Amino acid sequence: EAGVTQFPSHSVIEKGQTVTLRCDPISGHDNLYWYRRVMGKEIKFLLHFVKESKQDESGMPNNRFLAERTGGTYSTLKVQPAELEDSGVYFCASSQAGWGGEQFFGPGTRLTVL
Amino acid sequence: GEDVEQSLFLSVREGDSSVINCTYTDSSSTYLYWYKQEPGAGLQLLTYIFSNMDMKQDQRLTVLLNKKDKHLSLRIADTQTGDSAIYFCAEVEGFKTIFGAGTRLFVKA
């Protein structure tokens, strides 16, 4: 069974540009999460989808970040316009329906904003 | 509040034991986790412990939990160079996983 996949693995953009990150969860997983690790600090929760609905987006830093999960399958996270402080590693995770299930993490996308 | 703290670096010699410590704040966490991130790779769930347990052993890994002090530790016996990685302590609050900043383990040959 394929794990969580993320694309691209690495993105380098200039300040002010737009970047879209993609996450494909494990097939059949209703829950999808985005996290990020900035400047070697702790990995922070961004948001949680249940199918196509945003269940909790309390961790989204500001309105330059937009996450979507149309159709309840893959998800995208768009940063527009990107700022220097957005540099970091963005992780996606998925889990089965219900509470307390193990979250399976993807390899992450390393975003560098110059 | 959500806060998981752990030391940032640990250096050990190959063959020695490594102990990585962590403190957490949410006493209602049902599970506490240790994740491993190797260079260039994603997060791998290494082991976890239920909050009603004091200890869990899995081959070279031993997890100790002190609920009273909200202290979690991960002991790696006979540490190998392949154990060099960042180790993240984490607790779950609802659907959120709350991570520490990660402990970078250096293993000297």
Side-chain angles (χ1 to χ4, degrees):
Chain A
E1 180 183 355
V4 177
T5 58
Q6 293 187 243
F7 182 83
S9 58
H10 195 175
S11 179
V12 181
I13 61 172
E14 292 189 350
K15 176 183 171 180
Q17 289 186 322
T18 297
V19 63
T20 300
L21 314 181
R22 174 173 169 141
C23 168
D24 286 80
I26 292 173
S27 177
H29 280 192
D30 286 348
N31 294 298
L32 187 148
Y33 315 82
W34 284 98
Y35 293 83
R36 75 171 179 176
R37 186 175 190 228
V38 174
M39 290 188 62
K41 296 187 177 179
E42 63 271 18
I43 300 168
K44 288 276 198 184
F45 169 85
L46 295 179
L47 88 160
H48 168 215
F49 283 99
V50 177
K51 297 184 181 178
E52 67 275 9
S53 300
K54 291 175 187 173
Q55 190 75 13
D56 180 354
E57 50 185 332
S58 61
M60 294 288 264
N62 52 61
N63 59 9
R64 295 186 293 103
F65 289 75
L66 175 64
E68 294 180 319
R69 193 184 181 195
T70 307
T73 55
Y74 71 91
S75 174
T76 58
L77 179 65
K78 182 161 74 172
V79 185
Q80 180 183 29
E83 298 289 343
L84 299 178
E85 64 264 26
D86 301 331
S87 296
V89 181
Y90 290 75
F91 292 101
C92 176
S94 71
S95 68
Q96 292 180 327
W99 180 87
E102 178 185 345
Q103 295 183 13
F104 295 85
F105 282 81
T109 293
R110 180 173 294 277
L111 175 64
T112 302
V113 182
L114 302 175
Chain B
E2 313 163 346
D3 202 8
V4 177
E5 295 189 354
Q6 49 185 128
S7 53
L8 295 182
F9 298 98
L10 176 65
S11 179
V12 300
R13 288 176 188 261
E14 191 175 21
D16 287 352
S17 292
S18 307
V19 180
I20 302 171
N21 294 301
C22 166
T23 58
Y24 61 96
T25 56
D26 188 354
S27 59
S28 65
S29 294
T30 304
Y31 302 89
L32 292 150
Y33 298 88
W34 284 103
Y35 285 86
K36 176 182 180 183
Q37 185 184 19
E38 296 184 55
L43 291 170
Q44 171 197 355
L45 178 62
L46 202 55
T47 187
Y48 64 91
I49 188 168
F50 289 103
S51 58
N52 63 357
M53 297 171 65
D54 297 324
M55 184 182 84
K56 179 180 179 182
Q57 187 148 4
D58 183 2
Q59 298 181 341
R60 293 190 296 119
L61 305 178
T62 302
V63 179
L64 295 178
L65 175 60
N66 180 330
K67 281 196 74 174
K68 175 177 170 288
D69 294 337
K70 297 180 186 172
H71 182 267
L72 183 72
S73 69
L74 173 70
R75 179 176 181 269
I76 305 172
D78 187 25
T79 311
Q80 303 296 307
T81 54
D83 295 324
S84 293
I86 302 175
Y87 292 81
F88 293 92
C89 171
E91 62 177 344
V92 174
E93 185 177 296
F95 280 92
K96 291 182 196 179
T97 302
I98 312 299
F99 291 90
T103 298
R104 185 177 292 273
L105 175 64
F106 295 94
V107 182
K108 295 176 286 188

